[in-house]
Amino acid sequence: VVFAADRQSDLHKIAEGLRPEFVIAVRGHVRRRPEGSLNLKMPTGEIEVEASSVEILNEAKTPPFEIVADINVNEDSRLKYRYLDLRRPPMQRNLVTRHKLIQVFREYFDRNGFVDVETPTMTRSTPGGARNYLVPSRVWPGTFYGLSESPQIFKQLLMVSGFDRYFQVVKCFRDEDLRADRQPEFTQFDLEMSFVQADDVMDVVEGGVEEAFGKLRGVKLPRPFPRMSYAEAMARFGTDKPDLRYGMELSDVSGALKETGFRVVKEVLAAGGAVKAMCAPGCGGYSRKETDALTTFVQGYGAKGLVPLKVEAEALAGQTAKFFSPAEQAALRAAVGAQEGDMIFMVADASDLAAQSLGALRMHLAEKLGMVKADEYRPLWVVDFPLFEFSKEENALVARHHPFTSPKDEDLALLDSKPLSVRAKAYDLVLNGVELGGGSIRIHRQELQRKMFTLLGISDEEARSKFSFLLDAFEFGAPPHGGIALGVDRFVMLLLGLDHIRDVIAFPKTQKAMCLMTGAPGTVTPRQLQELNVRVVAPPPKPA
């Protein structure tokens, strides 16, 4: 906007007082910029407006940070003044991309016969899954609603109702400890289908994901997406969310070291543990300080220690190399494909712990070594999850997914004798080491559902108390059904190559579940508590 001092001195005087973030209305004549003043880096860089009038609609204080694309400011400030942070072009882009993703999904699933149905947010609290947020009822004193952690039961009821294909963009709530990619309230793209097997659900979801990446990123994802069993993912990558963009796969070298004289390894193997190894390319020159830091890293994941072995031309080197015979060293090199100049890292511990800690090291080193390609997308279905896992805390079996997940038909005979060997008709969609969504084929027969409850230690009386409406519905004919929920926040985060889901949510909370902008959660008045028949008690003192 051009204010001509020689022709419009009054307007020019007003313009001199304008400051960043003022809200103004301008009338004027649009014209092409003079030669030499074009700015093709700006969307409006070829034109200018010669003002004939200007009105200040609202003045603005100096903002706490500059409203520009790239800023170096504490995230707490960005969250406190979120309405200003959202003015920045990257944040606007993030939310527009989120909008477009949901539009693509809505259009795709509508085209494929799905019906959008809203389900309740306030429902009955059903302990056993994630911890619910509770809402006291004023009308029914002493009773509470639970904020829905997912529409799971309702979408199953919709299948009983005869809606063969359902979807919903739904807000979910979980009162859990938070981390960078978790929020107390989050958004899922939820769907359910009747008369289907796992292949049908995975196929239709692949089509939606492929369309989203094609339209929003111009990326063609090859279909069908590869599949990998849970057991294979844990063995090769130490995680059920493997990132396939780089190598450094894990190898079980327990067999190669079964006769070793290295006491640490020998004791682990004698106790039924395992030795996992991987090769870090080009890391043979790491110093003692660097390998000690990596040892501390894996100890943070529960491992007792880390064995580093430098790969030299003729043999392995390092403090522990002398404990391994030439044959064992050769076997180690062959198992992990190590070359001169590489480093072999080993963890000897309980099998799952060794795999998980070394898998975490794999991801850590990939970032450190620059092996992660930001513009590469490698989707994967992880299937055949265990139906149960054993909780030491509860000293009982717990459902790996949820108690409505169906066991694989070929494993039904193991339910009584070897329940931990039973695999589930469950599937997770993983992209670049991030779980995008998870789902399963559900139990639709009452006798099998009752069996599942029994194995989980849920009595008939407790099951009726928690899930009577679902069990009652099954008595009126329930079709075979299954579905999945995709995390919208994580999906947008991956589309844009971001590290935190807070950057794709308009008004997120901190990792302590606080909203710095509104001050939530906050206290309420004694009168409000009295209306709800609720009394606040002081929390127990923290242990010293």
Side-chain angles (χ1 to χ4, degrees):
V1 180
V2 176
F3 297 90
D6 56 342
R7 297 190 303 275
Q8 300 169 311
S9 59
D10 53 338
L11 290 185
H12 194 271
K13 187 175 181 179
I14 294 173
E16 284 182 323
L18 298 180
R19 296 292 179 267
E21 307 309 312
F22 274 32
V23 183
I24 63 174
V26 175
R27 290 180 181 273
H29 176 68
V30 180
R31 66 191 185 195
R32 185 174 177 81
R33 285 192 181 191
E35 286 298 326
S37 64
L38 300 184
N39 185 356
L40 299 182
K41 294 181 180 180
M42 291 175 57
T44 58
E46 295 182 70
I47 62 166
E48 62 187 20
V49 178
E50 183 177 4
S52 58
S53 70
V54 60
E55 179 184 359
I56 298 176
L57 302 176
N58 227 324
E59 295 185 357
K61 295 195 305 182
T62 302
F65 48 81
E66 195 175 3
I67 312 298
V68 293
D70 297 316
I71 57 175
N72 183 17
V73 63
N74 184 287
E75 189 184 30
D76 284 357
S77 294
R78 292 177 52 210
L79 294 178
K80 182 177 180 179
Y81 299 98
R82 190 62 163 186
Y83 43 85
L84 298 179
D85 191 40
L86 289 176
R87 291 183 185 178
R88 298 190 304 112
M91 297 301 294
Q92 300 251 325
R93 175 206 62 180
N94 295 353
L95 294 190
V96 169
T97 300
R98 184 188 180 103
H99 157 75
K100 289 182 177 179
L101 172 67
I102 291 173
Q103 290 295 97
V104 169
F105 275 168
R106 286 190 183 278
E107 291 170 7
Y108 170 83
F109 285 100
D110 175 70
R111 197 166 67 241
N112 281 274
F114 287 77
V115 178
D116 185 356
V117 183
E118 288 187 11
T119 56
T121 296
M122 294 197 308
T123 183
R124 179 162 183 166
S125 177
T126 53
R131 187 187 294 111
N132 288 133
Y133 283 101
L134 299 178
V135 181
S137 171
R138 179 185 59 82
V139 178
W140 300 96
T143 63
F144 296 81
Y145 299 100
L147 293 186
S148 180
E149 64 176 271
S150 84
Q152 181 61 50
I153 292 177
F154 290 104
K155 65 183 183 180
Q156 290 191 251
L157 289 171
L158 286 170
M159 298 302 100
V160 177
S161 302
F163 290 89
D164 288 345
R165 293 190 167 201
Y166 140 95
F167 81 90
Q168 183 183 189
V169 180
V170 59
K171 187 72 78 174
C172 302
F173 305 86
R174 294 180 186 174
D175 186 6
E176 296 180 321
D177 294 333
L178 305 183
R179 56 178 185 244
D181 62 346
R182 182 177 285 172
Q183 285 277 297
E185 51 182 322
F186 56 96
T187 306
Q188 288 182 175
F189 194 92
D190 209 61
L191 64 92
E192 196 81 3
M193 306 166 68
S194 285
F195 300 103
V196 290
Q197 296 296 333
D199 288 347
D200 302 303
V201 179
M202 289 189 276
D203 182 65
V204 76
V205 170
E206 281 187 17
V209 173
E210 176 190 39
E211 191 159 313
F213 270 88
K215 288 186 174 181
L216 302 180
R217 292 290 294 174
V219 172
K220 175 68 174 174
L221 296 179
R223 293 183 62 194
F225 296 169
R227 299 183 187 184
M228 183 182 297
S229 71
Y230 168 84
E232 182 182 353
M234 293 302 298
R236 291 174 56 189
F237 302 100
T239 176
D240 58 3
K241 300 180 284 290
D243 192 334
L244 303 183
R245 290 175 295 175
Y246 49 87
M248 293 196 297
E249 293 189 19
L250 279 54
S251 295
D252 191 322
V253 294
S254 305
L257 300 179
K258 61 183 178 181
E259 303 296 334
T260 187
F262 188 21
R263 182 180 57 82
V264 173
V265 170
K266 198 169 186 175
E267 289 176 354
V268 167
L269 294 177
V275 186
K276 303 284 186 176
M278 75 172 196
C279 174
C283 294
Y286 272 20
S287 66
R288 173 70 181 273
K289 181 179 179 181
E290 288 174 304
T291 58
D292 283 350
L294 297 178
T295 299
T296 302
F297 177 87
V298 298
Q299 287 172 337
Y301 287 83
K304 295 182 183 67
L306 181 69
V307 179
L309 295 166
K310 298 180 181 182
V311 183
E312 298 183 345
E314 302 298 330
L316 302 181
Q319 280 191 313
T320 59
K322 60 186 177 184
F323 296 111
F324 300 105
S325 69
E328 288 171 339
Q329 292 191 17
L332 284 174
R333 293 176 69 143
V336 298
Q339 304 292 325
E340 183 179 356
D342 295 343
M343 179 82 80
I344 297 174
F345 289 108
M346 292 195 303
V347 173
D349 219 308
S351 183
D352 287 350
L353 186 56
Q356 291 167 13
S357 57
L358 203 57
L361 180 63
R362 171 183 179 265
M363 292 185 284
H364 175 71
L365 284 174
E367 290 282 353
K368 186 175 181 179
L369 297 173
M371 300 172 72
V372 180
K373 300 176 183 177
D375 58 349
E376 183 180 358
Y377 298 95
R378 297 288 300 276
L380 171 72
W381 287 107
V382 178
V383 298
D384 294 347
F385 283 86
L387 185 66
F388 302 105
E389 52 191 12
F390 187 79
S391 169
K392 292 182 180 178
E393 183 179 339
E394 300 179 31
N395 193 33
L397 291 177
V398 294
R400 172 86 190 196
H401 193 53
H402 56 60
F404 311 110
T405 300
S406 180
K408 292 182 76 74
D409 298 337
E410 55 268 38
D411 290 352
L412 287 173
L414 301 173
L415 280 171
D416 288 316
S417 58
K418 297 180 179 179
L420 289 173
S421 298
V422 177
R423 295 165 298 165
K425 292 182 180 178
Y427 33 82
D428 279 2
L429 178 58
V430 176
L431 181 67
N432 294 358
V434 176
E435 180 190 331
L436 273 188
S440 67
I441 300 299
R442 325 302 186 187
I443 296 171
H444 67 280
R445 291 186 288 120
Q446 273 213 356
E447 61 272 20
L448 183 55
Q449 187 65 71
R450 192 174 294 113
K451 180 72 172 177
M452 184 74 168
F453 285 151
T454 300
L455 289 167
L456 292 172
I458 301 174
S459 66
D460 287 345
E461 182 180 348
E462 186 181 3
R464 296 296 308 175
S465 173
K466 292 179 178 178
F467 311 113
S468 59
F469 50 96
L470 179 65
L471 300 176
D472 289 345
F474 281 1
E475 293 180 352
F476 292 93
H481 57 282
I484 195 171
L486 300 175
V488 172
D489 311 308
R490 291 183 184 181
F491 205 120
V492 180
M493 180 183 75
L494 283 174
L495 275 173
L496 295 170
L498 303 173
D499 296 323
H500 304 294
I501 61 171
R502 289 190 293 275
D503 285 339
V504 301
I505 299 172
F507 301 102
K509 294 177 175 57
T510 67
Q511 285 186 252
K512 292 185 178 180
M514 293 182 63
C515 175
L516 299 181
M517 184 182 70
T518 64
T523 58
V524 296
T525 65
R527 180 177 177 179
Q528 288 175 289
L529 293 175
Q530 186 176 2
E531 288 176 342
L532 295 169
N533 297 283
V534 170
R535 181 166 57 92
V536 176
V537 297
K542 294 182 179 180

